[in-house]
Amino acid sequence: MMHLHAKWSVKGLSLPVFRTNALIVGSGAASLSCAVHLKRMGVDDLLIVTDNSKGGTSRNTGSDKQTYYRLSDASPIPDSPYSMVESYTRGGSVHGDIAFIEAQNSLRAFYNLVSLGVNFPSNRYGGYTGYKTDHDPSNRGISLGPYTSKEMVRVLHAEVEKLNIPMWDRCDVVKLLTDETHAMVGAVVLNKDEVHNEAHGLCVILAEHVVLGTGGPAGFYAASVYPRVHVGSIGLAMEIGAEAVNLTESQFGIASTKFRWNLSGSYQQVLPRYISTDRRGNNPVDFLVPYFNNWEELTNAVFLKGYQWPFDAAKVPDQGSSLIDLLVYHETQVKGRRVFLDFSSNIIGNPAWSSFNRQCIHPTALGYLDASKAWAGTPFERLKLLNPAAVELYAKHGIDLEHELLEIDVCAQHNNGGLYSDIWWESTNIKGLYPIGEVNGSHGVSRPGGSALNAGQVGALRAAQRIAGSKERPMLQADSLLNVVQADLEKLVDTVCRWTACTKQTTLQSVKHQLDEQMFSLQRRMSSYGGPIRRKELVEKALLEAKTQQHSFGKELSVPAEFLAKALRLRHMLIAQVWYLSAIDWYLGQGGGSRGSYLVVDSAGREAHPLASQYTIKEEKHQLREVMQVLYVDDEERLCHRFDRCRAVPSESFWFEQVWREYQAGQHLL
């Protein structure tokens, strides 16, 4: 139980003030892991603050076989951190030292989860056998099935409770607070259960260390596979000028929309039928068929969509697997039709081809299904044999894949960019701010599948080590700190009081509609212009619209207490939207082309397909993979850009006696 430290009077409001050494924002796998590590390292003065302890991406998302990526230690093929780094850095725009840290610490993070009770499958000799995942040559993937990250959260949450780490639930961080040296001093928190009190539920938590583990910008896109209960709050850090990196690099893929779930792996390997309809579900068309020359090409592309699930601009030409994503996008986003997977019937090909049968399937796909003892007459029957948990997952959410069409789209799934940090996951320019998990931009252009889960656990460990080993800054007294942050507090309180002053003439329904319209406008803009298909002239237009929306938002807003948290959250999303679109615009202005999970359309580019001539693919500018694109705020509060050259993988020789001496002296924490 935290004790009241002081009360601050700000513009007529009396704000309760609390104090802790380490404030952890968010309750996903990264945040909970950091809290556990801190407690084990002797940091008892810490607090977790979360908007929704049952929400978040870690707890509510997954795939057919959600992967955790770690160094392979149960394979006949030798592995090493140096070899693993090659997989991390091959995609480009990754710092070698950070990739090296994620590789070196992956087993420590993995076995910590095992010791806490995550029941990863092992063989009879106790080895944790792995498999190959995206961009992975060495069988480093391991999985519990669809719910790997959910199980991670479950055991970490249990450990947090066992260690008696305090957690404030239903509390939104609405403002980060820094001093005149750009160092963290705390945050303003909105308690959603106390919004009707005189202070509107606002309080201040003073902390010299703030761990931000609030995930990616989940609320950004109209077509999204992020769980609806997760929105993201990267804009909190952008508001105080925290540097960001690689915001151009989001990841997109085919997912279901009624129940949001990634349709990778088994869902594609069983060769489902793709159809599109009009908005009412009529006029079904097997829209993929005209783009392929024969059964082998079509079945190979659908099958490989399982292994190569994220949209990849390089896999569009020559009937590649990502041509399917492009065609789905064209049906839904351009033609305004609806697209479904049909697991009840096989693919219907060109009338000039033979009927669907075993002999017409690409040998790779057929060989996989036969080796898995998963051949059967329909995609649904094959899925039941190959991965029954994938069927049960949808059944638990009221969707019968045997009889029901599954609506899909190309959806935002992960943010490879994010906030910029050093090798301890501390912000590059805000001392005491530690972005961990998806909010940290460590991944670069493309990443091995499952590496995000490892990055979150390693980042949690590194941040905890830095916090536990750091010398305490001389904390100012409460009265002195009020002088430091008063201007920021007054600005926030002014906004809150203005929004809540005149609500008698408004209804909850009208306010909700107004805020939802603002959100939908943002989401449509990001899906249309910052999604998997990008055009320079349209991005420029979208950026101007985003700046206008941010500037005008809230000027004449009346917000009942029930929607105060939603309005404040939307305010931060509008800040972040400008940063993201600005990053995309600047990248394209530097000649950046198609790479990773987006296709840049340029009239001089390569044609994606003879029947899709409107999608001409601008070639990637490969030298941009040698740099990181950084966004920062200058002294005049202008949003600026620069390229930082990617740091190399550490090459020094580590001699044990020297490492031992440095460790004992605490020099390893520098």
Side-chain angles (χ1 to χ4, degrees):
M1 184 71 179
M2 290 191 70
H3 298 289
L4 185 67
H5 180 70
K7 281 205 170 185
W8 284 350
S9 179
V10 180
K11 303 287 273 188
L13 298 189
S14 180
L15 303 184
V17 180
F18 302 88
R19 172 170 277 173
T20 186
N21 179 27
L23 173 63
I24 299 173
V25 187
S27 55
S31 293
L32 296 177
S33 182
C34 188
V36 168
H37 285 303
L38 282 169
K39 189 73 172 181
R40 288 174 178 170
M41 294 173 188
V43 179
D44 295 319
D45 187 13
L46 71 158
L47 171 68
I48 300 171
V49 171
T50 180
D51 164 53
N52 179 2
S53 63
K54 303 301 182 191
T57 299
S58 300
R59 190 183 289 272
N60 294 284
T61 194
S63 61
D64 77 309
K65 190 168 66 177
Q66 192 182 22
T67 300
Y68 190 99
Y69 192 69
R70 87 287 186 239
L71 194 70
S72 177
D73 64 348
S75 169
I77 303 172
D79 200 3
S80 78
Y82 293 94
S83 175
M84 190 170 174
V85 164
E86 292 180 10
S87 299
Y88 274 126
T89 58
R90 189 176 297 121
S93 298
V94 174
H95 282 314
D97 49 5
I98 290 180
F100 187 58
I101 290 165
E102 292 187 13
Q104 288 229 111
N105 287 273
S106 64
L107 286 180
R108 178 174 178 180
F110 173 72
Y111 283 110
N112 176 58
L113 294 170
V114 171
S115 70
L116 289 173
V118 179
N119 194 24
F120 286 108
S122 59
N123 60 39
R124 70 180 67 183
Y125 304 107
Y128 289 90
T129 304
Y131 56 86
K132 288 185 180 182
T133 181
D134 307 332
H135 310 294
D136 164 43
S138 299
N139 297 314
R140 299 188 184 109
I142 194 166
S143 175
L144 292 175
Y147 294 116
T148 302
S149 63
K150 183 175 183 177
E151 182 66 6
M152 289 165 57
V153 171
R154 186 190 69 79
V155 301
L156 286 164
H157 196 278
E159 188 70 6
V160 163
E161 291 184 333
K162 178 182 174 182
L163 295 172
N164 293 316
I165 298 171
M167 179 185 293
W168 287 8
D169 202 357
R170 288 186 51 77
C171 290
D172 261 2
V173 171
V174 296
K175 174 70 179 175
L176 297 177
L177 300 173
T178 58
D179 64 16
E180 63 276 4
T181 68
H182 302 292
M184 293 303 309
V185 295
V188 182
V189 173
L190 175 71
N191 185 330
K192 293 191 287 187
D193 291 330
E194 297 182 4
V195 291
H196 292 286
N197 71 17
E198 292 182 358
H200 303 289
L202 297 174
C203 70
V204 176
I205 300 177
L206 302 179
E208 61 178 300
H209 302 287
V210 176
V211 178
L212 190 65
T214 53
F220 260 25
Y221 292 91
S224 172
V225 74
Y226 286 96
R228 287 181 173 86
V229 291
H230 182 62
V231 176
S233 56
I234 193 171
L236 280 170
M238 293 168 172
E239 184 182 34
I240 62 170
E243 290 186 336
V245 65
N246 291 346
L247 297 184
T248 53
E249 308 308 313
S250 292
Q251 186 168 288
F252 305 90
I254 291 172
S256 56
T257 55
K258 180 180 176 182
F259 164 56
R260 295 184 173 190
W261 202 256
N262 296 328
L263 290 167
S264 56
S266 308
Y267 295 109
Q268 306 292 338
Q269 289 157 344
V270 298
L271 306 177
R273 179 186 177 195
Y274 279 76
I275 63 171
S276 76
T277 72
D278 62 23
R279 298 308 300 170
R280 295 184 178 182
N282 301 318
N283 185 29
V285 175
D286 292 82
F287 65 98
L288 296 183
V289 175
Y291 296 85
F292 294 88
N293 297 310
N294 51 56
W295 275 119
E296 281 202 2
E297 282 187 358
L298 177 55
T299 55
N300 185 52
V302 174
F303 175 78
L304 289 179
K305 190 73 271 179
Y307 278 121
Q308 301 169 352
W309 174 76
F311 176 67
D312 184 344
K315 295 182 176 70
V316 171
D318 304 318
Q319 286 77 34
S321 62
S322 286
L323 176 61
I324 293 176
D325 303 74
L326 180 62
L327 298 177
V328 172
Y329 174 91
H330 186 71
E331 292 291 310
T332 59
Q333 303 297 317
V334 179
K335 296 173 70 174
R337 290 172 64 83
R338 300 168 69 188
V339 174
F340 300 87
L341 288 187
D342 180 4
F343 288 92
S344 67
S345 59
N346 289 308
I347 304 169
I348 296 176
N350 190 307
W353 306 346
S354 65
S355 59
F356 183 90
N357 60 77
R358 278 177 55 91
Q359 285 67 41
C360 73
I361 297 172
H362 191 279
T364 301
L366 184 60
Y368 177 87
L369 290 168
D370 281 345
S372 303
K373 295 183 173 25
W375 175 256
T378 68
F380 178 78
E381 292 168 339
R382 296 192 284 271
L383 187 59
K384 277 205 306 183
L385 293 171
L386 181 63
N387 190 350
V391 175
E392 294 164 7
L393 172 73
Y394 276 94
K396 286 179 181 178
H397 290 84
I399 299 173
D400 179 1
L401 294 181
E402 185 176 14
H403 302 104
E404 186 175 344
L405 295 178
L406 186 64
E407 189 160 8
I408 67 171
D409 207 340
V410 181
C411 297
Q413 185 264 346
H414 192 270
N415 187 201
N416 284 357
L419 299 177
Y420 202 15
S421 72
D422 64 13
I423 63 171
W424 295 100
W425 271 250
E426 185 171 16
S427 168
T428 47
N429 70 319
I430 306 290
K431 184 173 177 58
L433 177 65
Y434 302 85
I436 63 174
E438 191 182 344
V439 79
N440 187 290
S442 66
H443 296 298
V445 175
S446 58
R447 60 183 175 85
S451 61
L453 293 184
N454 177 60
Q457 295 303 293
V458 171
L461 169 64
R462 294 288 287 184
Q465 288 174 319
R466 168 56 70 87
I467 292 168
S470 65
K471 295 179 180 178
E472 288 192 18
R473 304 201 314 263
M475 261 310 236
L476 296 173
Q477 296 301 311
D479 290 343
S480 301
L481 271 176
L482 175 57
N483 293 331
V484 171
V485 300
Q486 184 147 11
D488 286 337
L489 289 176
E490 287 182 352
K491 187 176 179 181
L492 176 64
V493 168
D494 265 342
T495 298
V496 169
C497 290
R498 176 165 43 84
W499 284 354
T500 56
C502 302
T503 59
K504 292 182 180 179
Q505 304 302 319
T506 61
T507 65
L508 292 179
Q509 185 176 2
S510 66
V511 174
K512 181 180 184 302
H513 177 75
Q514 187 177 3
L515 293 175
D516 284 346
E517 278 301 305
Q518 289 280 342
M519 175 78 86
F520 294 156
S521 176
L522 179 157
Q523 291 172 334
R524 288 191 294 265
R525 184 178 300 118
M526 289 302 297
S527 279
S528 297
Y529 309 121
I533 308 299
R534 300 176 182 179
R535 294 173 170 85
K536 178 72 169 74
E537 65 278 8
L538 296 182
V539 170
E540 290 175 353
K541 177 175 176 286
L543 177 57
L544 290 175
E545 291 175 356
K547 289 178 177 178
T548 300
Q549 186 182 15
Q550 181 197 349
H551 180 71
S552 62
F553 176 73
K555 286 190 173 180
E556 298 181 2
L557 193 63
S558 294
V559 183
E562 290 84 351
F563 289 112
L564 188 55
K566 184 172 184 173
L568 289 170
R569 190 182 304 126
L570 180 53
R571 176 172 155 268
H572 289 119
M573 291 176 66
L574 292 170
I575 293 171
Q577 180 189 208
V578 170
W579 282 55
Y580 275 81
L581 288 173
S582 181
I584 295 170
D585 181 57
W586 195 74
Y587 168 82
L588 297 177
Q590 303 303 305
S594 306
R595 70 178 190 181
S597 202
Y598 54 88
L599 184 157
V600 178
V601 177
D602 187 289
S603 58
R606 177 185 179 184
E607 193 175 69
H609 189 281
L611 300 181
S613 57
Q614 65 271 55
Y615 298 106
T616 45
I617 306 170
K618 182 177 176 63
E619 186 178 348
E620 179 182 0
K621 192 174 181 179
H622 283 278
Q623 54 266 46
L624 293 184
R625 292 204 179 201
E626 299 171 4
V627 295
M628 314 274 281
Q629 183 183 337
V630 182
L631 275 77
Y632 66 97
V633 178
D634 68 10
D635 293 338
E636 297 180 7
E637 298 190 355
R638 294 175 301 189
L639 188 57
C640 303
H641 307 258
R642 70 172 189 265
F643 283 133
D644 283 2
R645 185 154 294 278
C646 294
R647 297 190 296 269
V649 178
S651 59
E652 65 254 44
S653 298
F654 297 102
W655 186 258
F656 176 75
E657 279 71 17
Q658 182 64 25
V659 170
W660 190 10
R661 279 193 296 271
E662 291 176 355
Y663 185 86
Q664 289 176 315
Q667 294 174 342
H668 67 294
L669 293 173
L670 301 177

